[in-house]
Amino acid sequence: MTAPGHPERAVSDPIGLIADLVAAIEHQLEPDRIRAVVASVAGGRSKSRLLAAHLTKHPHVLNDGRSPAPRAVGDLLIALREAGAQTVSPPCCAACGRQIRTLQRRGQDWYCWNCGRPQPEPCAACGNTRRVTSRDRTGQPRCAKCPDDDGRDPIAVIGALIAELDPQAERETVSEAVRRSAPRPSYQRKLAWALESHPALLTGDGHLAPHPAILKLIDLLHEAGIAGIVRPSCPGCHRAVRIDKPLDGKRVCRMCISHSRIEECSGCGARREPATRDDQGRPVCPNCLVSDPANLETCINCGRRRVVNTRTPDGPLCQGCPSLPTATCSICDAEKPCGTSRATGRPWCLDCQRHSAPCSACGDVAAVVSGTLDQPLCLGCTAPEVWHTCLTCSEPDYPHPGQCGRCLINRRLNELLGPPSDALHPGLEALRNNIANTEHPLTANRWLNKPSVSPVLADLAAGRRALTHEALDELPDSPPLAHLRQVLVGVGALPERDEYMVRLERFLTGLLASQQDPEQRKVLHQYAIWHLVRRLRRRSNGRRLTPQQFASARQRTYAAVAFLTWLQAHDLVLETCRQADLDRWLTDDAATYRHTAGHFVRWARTNKLTTVHVPAVRWNGPTQPLDDEHRWNVARRLLHDDTLKPEDRLAGLLLLLYAQGPSAIHRLTVEDVEVDAQEVRLHLGDAPVQLPDPVAQLARTVAANRKGHATIGALTPSPWLFPGGQPGRPISTTQLTQRLNQLGIRPNQARSTALFQLATEIPAAILARTLGIHTDVAVAWQRLSAGDWANYAAEVSRRTTSP
């Protein structure tokens, strides 16, 4: 969407483009007035771009007011006429052509009141074809002379129904609740009919309400303390929250509606509810929407096109810029919200930032950068200021006003940790040196100024908090605190520990302590501590737990608690539970974690705590279709497209060619890559894999130039082949999956396709040793792919040996 002569105007400033189109034909209104009217009608970015696109393609609508057109166009025409426009036409009826002041729309066309009325229908009472003014309780049309009125007061009918639940309910309270939920008498009659035919709507079946006003009535009655009124729970997630969204004949909560609309984003591949759709109708998730270049806006403080973080009356601000302070503008001398000029380091207001004038020195018409309103100066004629040299260390070529970044970070460290001295803890001294010598001091300074970091460092330096993991565990858990802990580990101030194992133990301790029944607590302790945690320690074999292992153990524990709670609610225990009881729980829609609890039931049966059984779900092959052609197309692109990042290309090729999932790729270290002059070998399993070119060259490049996003406390060089955002940690599987999605790779589907193809060509034993997968997995894939390697050993024994 571009305007003639302004290829980027429609994208960057749709409101300005619309205002220019209107100003080109309307001379009765000032440009500022036109822009104000357009801004009031255009609303958000999506609506303003839609409006700009239509007016750019159909500018004649400003003169004739003819539809079809979006509703925003009609609203703009009406607003311009109310503001005093004379040339701009008001909307015209699509049927009779009469100019109108209000819109009656059908699709993309608008009509006057007479032409836009609903078509007459035969009345269900008198049979005459007349205009429909209401509908009866069965949904049939009624004319104005035949309303479906049974002569009863709907408020009295509803009051009688509520009196059966609570005889003490005050009539005025009920009447007020009915009027607030349904102000019109016709709607009150509908409520009375619905409650009269289904009184259980007031006692828990509110999710079946045919009208949303019933749910509002239930909330008002419940808040008034009327006994017997039960607020309905969502039939999808069983939470007692607001449910007003219809789905499959029921009313559910917003979260369940969101889950029902989940689609795969055409940009990043994430499965989320679409925030919008692109020009081809493909879904776009909220993250891709806000990061789309078309949605970036110019920050009024720093002047860069960024994602909008805060909208102020003066304009948008990006995430890195605070609200503009009020100061004296260095150009117009007015007291206004001012940003800091990158050219002079002095405050200048928003009006001066947008001002262009003939330069008083060279005479060229250009943006005003310095000087005054009477004698403006352009950028080329602006003299360099004194601040270009740091006042503390005299570092030259510093591009920001005030002290340089290195001096600012040292000053901030002195404020938090105190001046360097022998009394400072050696670990904090190592942290100070690491931060002071970081490659990006401005980033480190922003990190130190975070409210969740600076108080903790100040307490550690002053001795108010011990520099131990246990002392940090007393603080509320948060991502900044986890990053600070890992920074302290990276600089050697704290020892390494398995964070996910500690989190799991802390979670289980709190969960067990919250159980009131001692027998239930004993069973949970045996299952969670002596089975789940013990098995995790044995399988990890000294390695740290992964986020997936932590989440799985927590979910299985929740499932065990849910099943035991259900048994307790039905006066049952594990010993007295029968298969019929278990089947009743498995088919109960209100039960949670039904499928996950099968693991707990099987454990209880193995330990002779119960006789019931839930069979395990066996893997019978991939559930998603295998697209080998797409796999090879993406692989060719990764092999030859030099515009992509080498680490992304290598990770994608390891997935597409060697069936390595994100959980295996992110754990690769530099020691897993053997590089010599002739060849590159990669250790994925017991036997190394010789990488062919150009994959080998990519592995050389990534191993030699690896660098994570961590700027503080990071080990140099990093031992990981794919370093992550936290110091000393590899890239997370979530982040790696997102980067693969951006390349058009769906990890689960692509890995299944690669394993299917490799299993048809390589024996299961060799496949397991080479790719680092279990032999049973390799055999299962071989059988699935119909690869016949049963006679492989006999074939090898018959081969003739070379002399």
Side-chain angles (χ1 to χ4, degrees):
M1 181 183 65
T2 56
H6 300 277
E8 300 296 332
R9 181 67 181 280
V11 173
S12 61
D13 187 15
I15 293 180
L17 174 63
I18 299 170
D20 290 346
L21 293 174
V22 175
I25 65 170
E26 180 57 58
H27 304 292
Q28 297 297 323
L29 296 178
E30 296 293 331
D32 292 342
R33 177 61 174 160
I34 293 175
R35 187 180 181 93
V37 173
V38 172
S40 65
V41 174
R45 292 168 292 181
S46 178
K47 185 177 179 181
S48 61
R49 285 201 300 270
L50 176 66
L51 183 58
H54 186 84
L55 292 180
T56 302
K57 190 175 182 179
H58 307 284
H60 58 80
V61 71
L62 295 172
N63 297 102
D64 56 26
R66 293 285 183 179
S67 55
R71 173 63 183 263
V73 176
D75 293 338
L76 176 63
L77 297 180
I78 293 174
L80 289 172
R81 295 290 296 187
E82 292 177 351
Q86 300 296 325
T87 307
V88 173
S89 171
C92 296
C93 177
C96 64
R98 187 174 63 178
Q99 294 182 351
I100 54 181
R101 290 181 293 178
T102 58
L103 301 178
Q104 302 285 333
R105 298 181 69 246
R106 289 204 301 267
Q108 290 286 306
D109 292 314
W110 48 60
Y111 299 87
C112 63
W113 185 82
N114 288 327
C115 300
R117 291 186 300 176
Q119 296 297 320
E121 297 183 41
C123 177
C126 64
N128 296 324
T129 302
R130 293 174 177 172
R131 179 189 174 194
V132 178
T133 58
S134 64
R135 295 188 180 271
D136 58 20
R137 67 189 69 191
T138 60
Q140 298 299 317
R142 294 294 186 101
C143 65
K145 296 182 178 181
C146 306
D148 187 5
D149 188 0
D150 52 11
R152 299 182 300 171
D153 183 7
I155 297 181
V157 174
I158 297 174
L161 294 173
I162 295 175
E164 296 179 2
L165 300 175
D166 184 6
Q168 305 299 324
E170 297 182 1
R171 180 180 178 83
E172 290 299 327
T173 302
V174 176
S175 301
E176 180 64 20
V178 174
R179 293 190 184 96
R180 289 178 60 185
S181 57
R184 293 186 299 175
S186 60
Y187 208 6
Q188 293 173 4
R189 285 197 299 270
K190 293 180 180 180
L191 261 62
W193 295 338
L195 294 176
E196 196 174 25
S197 61
H198 193 177
L201 293 174
L202 298 172
T203 57
D205 287 350
H207 61 278
L208 301 176
H211 310 294
I214 294 178
L215 299 172
K216 185 176 180 180
L217 174 63
I218 293 173
D219 289 339
L220 293 174
L221 295 175
H222 187 271
E223 292 175 1
I226 296 179
I229 301 298
V230 179
R231 294 184 62 190
S233 59
C234 174
C237 61
H238 310 292
R239 297 182 303 155
V241 294
R242 180 180 179 183
I243 53 172
D244 56 357
K245 308 294 183 182
L247 179 65
D248 297 333
K250 301 179 182 179
R251 296 194 175 270
V252 299
C253 65
R254 180 65 185 85
M255 185 182 73
C256 291
I257 286 290
S258 177
H259 289 172
S260 69
R261 297 173 179 172
I262 287 178
E263 297 183 57
E264 187 175 285
C265 175
S266 59
C268 64
R271 292 189 57 80
R272 304 178 65 183
E273 180 186 12
T276 186
R277 294 185 180 272
D278 59 15
D279 297 338
Q280 303 177 9
R282 298 176 301 181
V284 178
C285 72
N287 288 343
C288 293
L289 175 65
V290 299
S291 59
D292 191 304
N295 291 330
L296 303 182
E297 298 186 36
T298 302
C299 175
I300 58 176
N301 187 20
C302 63
R304 295 172 291 186
R305 285 185 57 80
R306 294 288 185 87
V307 175
V308 177
N309 182 63
T310 305
R311 292 191 179 276
T312 67
D314 303 308
L317 290 170
C318 68
Q319 187 174 8
C321 291
S323 299
L324 296 183
T326 301
T328 302
C329 177
S330 60
I331 296 178
C332 65
D333 291 330
E335 289 285 338
K336 295 181 179 180
C338 294
T340 302
S341 171
R342 286 178 171 269
T344 63
R346 298 175 180 176
W348 61 340
C349 66
L350 303 179
D351 294 334
C352 293
Q353 293 179 27
R354 305 186 184 117
H355 184 53
S356 297
C359 177
S360 59
C362 64
D364 294 339
V365 177
V368 176
V369 174
S370 62
T372 62
L373 292 180
D374 297 333
Q375 296 188 356
L377 295 175
C378 65
L379 179 61
C381 299
T382 299
E385 298 292 336
V386 179
W387 60 267
H388 275 287
T389 300
C390 176
L391 302 177
T392 305
C393 67
S394 300
E395 180 178 337
D397 302 326
Y398 178 64
H400 297 280
Q403 290 180 312
C404 72
R406 197 71 61 188
C407 294
L408 290 175
I409 196 67
N410 284 323
R411 185 177 66 181
R412 183 58 177 156
L413 288 172
N414 289 336
E415 294 173 356
L416 293 177
L417 305 179
S421 65
D422 296 336
L424 188 64
H425 191 283
L428 296 179
E429 186 64 32
L431 176 65
R432 170 196 285 278
N433 295 334
N434 188 280
I435 296 177
N437 297 316
T438 185
E439 183 180 356
H440 304 285
L442 295 180
T443 303
N445 197 21
R446 284 196 296 268
W447 179 73
L448 285 177
N449 289 327
K450 288 186 176 181
S452 55
V453 174
S454 54
V456 179
L457 288 179
D459 290 345
L460 292 175
R464 294 186 293 268
R465 187 176 300 277
L467 185 55
T468 60
H469 282 293
E470 292 73 17
L472 295 181
D473 290 338
E474 298 174 358
L475 298 172
D477 193 17
S478 64
L481 178 64
H483 187 83
L484 172 61
R485 186 195 302 271
Q486 198 57 35
V487 167
L488 293 172
V489 171
V491 299
L494 289 176
E496 280 275 4
R497 77 171 186 178
D498 191 343
E499 291 298 329
Y500 280 106
M501 179 59 75
V502 173
R503 288 179 58 185
L504 180 60
E505 292 174 345
R506 189 186 310 149
F507 160 74
L508 293 177
T509 301
L511 183 66
L512 293 175
S514 65
Q515 302 302 312
Q516 302 298 327
D517 188 352
E519 290 298 325
Q520 183 172 329
R521 188 188 313 118
K522 179 180 177 181
V523 173
L524 287 175
H525 186 274
Q526 294 175 0
Y527 173 66
I529 304 298
W530 293 105
H531 178 65
L532 292 180
V533 175
R534 181 170 173 267
R535 188 176 64 165
L536 281 176
R537 292 187 185 278
R538 184 178 67 252
R539 289 188 173 183
S540 61
N541 196 21
R543 296 193 301 267
R544 287 194 293 263
L545 256 63
T546 65
Q548 292 78 14
Q549 290 174 318
F550 167 76
S552 176
R554 184 175 58 178
Q555 188 178 34
R556 287 178 173 178
T557 308
Y558 276 136
V561 172
F563 180 55
L564 292 175
T565 303
W566 185 88
L567 290 177
Q568 187 178 26
H570 291 77
D571 297 328
L572 296 170
V573 293
L574 283 173
E575 292 81 359
T576 61
C577 179
R578 297 295 177 258
Q579 192 66 38
D581 300 322
L582 178 62
D583 294 340
R584 182 155 55 100
W585 180 67
L586 292 174
T587 56
D588 187 357
D589 291 337
T592 56
Y593 298 101
R594 288 177 295 169
H595 303 290
T596 312
H599 185 272
F600 170 72
V601 175
R602 289 188 292 273
W603 169 85
R605 180 184 175 89
T606 302
N607 289 270
K608 297 180 172 47
L609 299 178
T610 185
T611 59
V612 298
H613 179 60
V614 177
V617 178
R618 300 298 180 184
W619 182 77
N620 295 317
T623 57
Q624 296 180 338
L626 305 180
D627 190 351
D628 196 53
E629 182 179 356
H630 174 73
R631 166 178 166 245
W632 284 114
N633 289 337
V634 177
R636 293 186 190 96
R637 178 192 171 202
L638 297 180
L639 286 171
H640 304 293
D641 191 350
D642 294 334
T643 60
L644 301 176
K645 295 182 179 179
E647 54 270 24
D648 291 348
R649 295 169 62 189
L650 179 60
L653 289 171
L654 291 179
L655 175 62
L656 296 171
L657 302 182
Y658 299 99
Q660 298 297 300
S663 59
I665 295 174
H666 91 113
R667 292 197 303 264
L668 291 175
T669 64
V670 181
E671 295 181 354
D672 294 326
V673 182
E674 296 182 7
V675 180
D676 56 31
Q678 286 76 28
E679 58 186 22
V680 177
R681 290 177 297 275
L682 181 63
H683 287 267
L684 302 175
D686 296 335
V689 179
Q690 182 175 343
L691 300 180
D693 283 328
V695 183
Q697 184 57 39
L698 280 174
R700 293 175 189 268
T701 303
V702 173
N705 303 296
R706 63 194 184 281
K707 185 178 181 182
H709 293 287
T711 59
I712 304 172
L715 299 177
T716 305
S718 174
W720 301 102
L721 189 61
F722 299 96
Q726 287 193 348
R729 294 288 182 89
I731 186 173
S732 66
T733 54
T734 302
Q735 182 66 23
L736 181 58
T737 301
Q738 291 178 357
R739 293 171 67 168
L740 292 174
N741 287 335
Q742 293 175 357
L743 298 175
I745 302 174
R746 307 296 175 259
N748 292 337
Q749 182 181 5
R751 184 171 183 267
S752 297
T753 307
L755 274 175
F756 186 89
Q757 182 64 31
L758 292 172
T760 62
E761 302 173 353
I762 303 175
I766 298 179
L767 190 68
R769 293 178 59 244
T770 306
L771 301 186
I773 60 177
H774 197 275
T775 305
D776 294 342
V777 176
V779 171
W781 275 101
Q782 176 189 314
R783 291 173 179 171
L784 179 68
S785 61
D788 186 10
W789 293 96
N791 300 323
Y792 177 72
E795 174 65 24
V796 171
S797 66
R798 287 194 295 267
R799 293 177 184 173
T800 58
T801 57
S802 302

